[in-house]
Amino acid sequence: MATTENGITQTYASEDAQKILQLAIARREDTGEMSRDQLFEVASELGISPADVQAAEMEWLSNKGEFQEKNLFNTYRRSKLQQNLVKYGIVNTFLVLLNLAASHELSWSIIVLLVWGLGLSLTAWNTYQAEGEEYEQAFQRWRLKKQVGQSIGTIADKLIKKFQ
């Protein structure tokens, strides 16, 4: 609890207090870094047990790894979308030019352009949706595919070393 200048006692919700402390730590004038010992010291001063700090630290490390992995996944999805956009542009430019050269008008090529464009638009929408059940399922499929690929690579490396 805090008492203001006019004597009114003020309280903060846990979430608000956490945000205030985060801002205060961020404003520190030194290197902006905190050692693990300093972290435990601050937690002790706030009445937080070392076990709670260790559990929070483990959760943070786990989330940090997943966050980095999701960033890789998002980068992968965007690069795939960019490749598809380039293919769309090249193929449809060719088809439109072919259509114009053959019949001097746009007829069948516009249908290909629009249908493929609709599919590509939906793919782009999904690529930039970074939350929800569908996103999580796509992330888990990508993660599994990556893990299987790494496992196969490891086995192949071991077999190659064994037979050399």
Side-chain angles (χ1 to χ4, degrees), residues 39-49 53:
L39 179 68
F40 277 87
E41 185 178 316
V42 169
S44 174
E45 290 174 9
L46 293 172
I48 301 170
S49 73
V53 175

Side-chain angles (χ1 to χ4, degrees), residues 96 99 106-115:
V96 166
N99 190 201
L106 289 178
S107 54
W108 56 268
S109 65
I110 202 79
I111 295 169
V112 174
L113 188 96
L114 292 173
V115 171

Side-chain angles (χ1 to χ4, degrees), residues 11-72:
T11 60
Y12 295 105
S14 177
E15 187 176 308
D16 294 337
Q18 181 181 5
K19 288 179 183 176
I20 291 168
L21 290 171
Q22 285 175 338
L23 288 171
I25 290 171
R27 287 176 168 249
R28 290 183 32 200
E29 292 183 19
D30 58 334
T31 62
E33 295 181 4
M34 182 181 288
S35 71
R36 191 167 191 260
D37 290 337
Q38 289 173 322
L39 179 68
F40 277 87
E41 185 178 316
V42 169
S44 174
E45 290 174 9
L46 293 172
I48 301 170
S49 73
D52 286 341
V53 175
Q54 285 177 332
E57 182 181 40
M58 295 302 290
E59 183 180 343
W60 175 79
L61 286 171
S62 172
N63 290 343
K64 182 180 177 187
E66 186 169 324
F67 178 75
Q68 289 172 338
E69 206 169 12
K70 282 187 176 181
N71 277 341
L72 283 174

Side-chain angles (χ1 to χ4, degrees), residues 85-109:
L85 284 169
V86 169
K87 288 177 193 175
Y88 173 81
I90 291 169
V91 170
N92 281 296
T93 299
F94 173 76
L95 292 176
V96 166
L97 292 174
L98 181 65
N99 190 201
L100 286 173
S103 63
H104 303 291
E105 65 180 12
L106 289 178
S107 54
W108 56 268
S109 65

